[in-house]
Amino acid sequence: MPKKIDPQLRARCVRLVLEHQQEYPTLTAATAAVARQEGVSRESVRRWLAQAEVDDGTRPGITSEESAEVKRLKAEIKRLREDNEILRRASIFFAGELDPRSR
């Protein structure tokens, strides 16, 4: 299970890369420098930067809000399916109890 990263650290890394990008020959170099400075992996900073671009609308993809909504809806669907299964089994049980042929 992935560990939770502090949202402030994530935002700071993205901000630092964007602010200091012109000081480095490539975006990858800026990303690596910020990752070293903040003590996180270069790949994490690269993914955070890409997601920030999607959230800003400068890159196509699913925004963080849309992703959170999909996750919430999937959890709700799972709960509703479980509830429906419980109700289905209860109705089968009670239908059998009320059936005069079963006595």
Side-chain angles (χ1 to χ4, degrees), residues 26-44:
T26 63
L27 179 61
T28 303
T31 302
V34 169
R36 253 190 328 274
Q37 175 185 340
E38 295 297 323
V40 295
S41 75
R42 182 178 64 211
E43 180 63 16
S44 292

Side-chain angles (χ1 to χ4, degrees), residues 8 18 22 37-38 44 57 71 75 93 95 97:
Q8 293 174 344
L18 294 176
Q22 69 279 0
Q37 175 185 340
E38 295 297 323
S44 292
K71 186 177 180 179
F93 173 78
E97 288 291 314

